[in-house]
Amino acid sequence: ARGWWVELTQYAPQVCQAGGNQQQGDCMKTLTRHPARYTDALLPIFAQIVPTYSRGLDPFGGTGKIFEIEKYVEGVEIECVEIEPEWADYDNRITVGDALALPWGDGYFDWICTSPTYGNRMADHHEARDCSKRNTYRHALNRPLHPANAGQLQYGTEYQKLHRSAWAEAWRVLRPGGLFVLNIKDHIRRGERVNVTQFHEEALRSVGFTWLGSEQVKCPGNRFGQNGGARIEYETVAWFQKPERK
């Protein structure tokens, strides 16, 4: 049996505060802002891909916004995994866990829909020495991230390694014929485009997924930092299929 859920819960101190909105025994638990939740414009697109009366998963689940697909698609059962307990507190259906070690058997899900971190400056985790605005995972939590959190990885070798492992694990828990829906976005670094989308699409193909289609969705982005005026104006939704057994 894996013991990762015990380790993960050590990263979430309980905060009791009047006016919070999650009841925990005799006190209220304050919810921690997440800096990168799904844009609402993406949900109807996900819903067009996800089949009715099916079982789905978001392995990089954040605050559980994936559950809103239930408003659009009849009969779906959704599981959601988030590595940081403070963000899992948003919904008691969220499993605190690691996308690289999912607690479900082979072929359990009909679909997976997820948005990995983009490997951009939101991965910064240094302590700011000035009063400039920071919109990062580290600063939103106001503590170091869990060591296995992809949110602290800038795009590069370690980022690629972690996500190749995550997509192999996603392949394992997805049934043959199941769908994989990816939401991702490129970014600008030192004035040049970083092709994060291309990496993920190629990584999914290398695992064995078949690319079915993609759509660009105009979404707002951060306007802070060195490249604040040079943002990619859209996110990509791409969908793939795990081939049926021959």
Side-chain angles (χ1 to χ4, degrees):
R2 301 186 183 98
W4 47 258
W5 56 86
V6 177
E7 176 189 358
L8 290 168
T9 55
Q10 296 172 358
Y11 284 79
Q14 179 166 294
V15 180
C16 296
Q17 176 178 314
N21 56 0
Q22 282 287 342
Q23 185 71 40
Q24 296 283 329
D26 295 329
C27 66
M28 302 298 288
K29 201 165 189 178
T30 302
L31 296 179
T32 303
R33 181 186 68 87
H34 193 287
R37 302 179 72 192
Y38 281 129
T39 302
D40 289 340
L42 297 168
L43 294 169
I45 297 172
F46 297 160
Q48 292 175 19
I49 303 167
V50 168
T52 58
Y53 297 98
S54 59
R55 191 155 51 192
L57 167 71
D58 185 348
F60 291 110
T63 62
K65 197 165 182 180
I66 192 68
F67 292 121
E68 294 190 23
I69 287 181
E70 296 170 344
K71 301 175 184 177
Y72 301 90
V73 183
E74 188 175 3
V76 289
E77 300 177 14
I78 300 174
E79 298 285 353
C80 180
V81 172
E82 167 53 39
I83 201 166
E84 301 295 355
E86 291 96 324
W87 291 328
D89 282 340
Y90 272 75
D91 195 304
N92 60 17
R93 294 171 293 178
I94 300 175
T95 298
V96 179
D98 188 344
L100 275 61
L102 298 170
W104 292 281
D106 297 356
Y108 185 81
F109 292 101
D110 301 301
W111 53 269
I112 292 173
C113 181
T114 196
S115 182
T117 62
Y118 299 163
N120 56 17
R121 293 299 299 272
M122 291 186 70
D124 287 354
H125 50 277
H126 61 275
E127 292 290 349
R129 297 181 180 179
D130 54 30
C131 296
S132 59
K133 189 175 181 65
R134 297 289 194 276
N135 187 39
T136 72
Y137 301 101
R138 162 68 177 83
H139 289 85
L141 282 177
N142 197 32
R143 64 163 175 79
L145 302 183
H146 186 278
N149 191 330
Q152 61 201 326
L153 297 179
Q154 305 283 349
Y155 183 76
T157 301
E158 290 303 313
Y159 177 97
Q160 294 174 356
K161 180 180 177 182
L162 183 148
H163 288 93
R164 289 185 191 279
S165 296
W167 301 154
E169 180 70 344
W171 171 277
R172 181 186 69 79
V173 299
L174 190 64
R175 68 166 176 81
L179 297 174
F180 185 101
V181 184
L182 171 73
N183 166 227
I184 195 66
K185 185 180 182 180
D186 293 346
H187 61 273
I188 304 297
R189 178 66 59 89
R190 300 184 182 92
E192 297 184 1
R193 185 172 186 142
V194 181
N195 294 311
V196 184
T197 302
Q198 180 180 344
F199 158 71
H200 282 287
E201 291 182 346
E202 291 177 352
L204 287 162
R205 286 190 179 102
S206 72
V207 172
F209 287 101
T210 300
W211 182 89
L212 298 179
S214 65
E215 182 172 341
Q216 294 177 354
V217 184
K218 190 171 183 178
C219 295
N222 289 331
R223 293 296 175 185
F224 310 111
Q226 183 180 12
N227 299 295
R231 299 302 190 198
I232 307 299
E233 296 293 339
Y234 63 86
E235 299 183 19
T236 296
V237 177
W239 51 100
F240 303 78
Q241 186 173 41
K242 181 176 180 177
E244 298 277 4
R245 292 193 184 98
K246 295 181 179 179

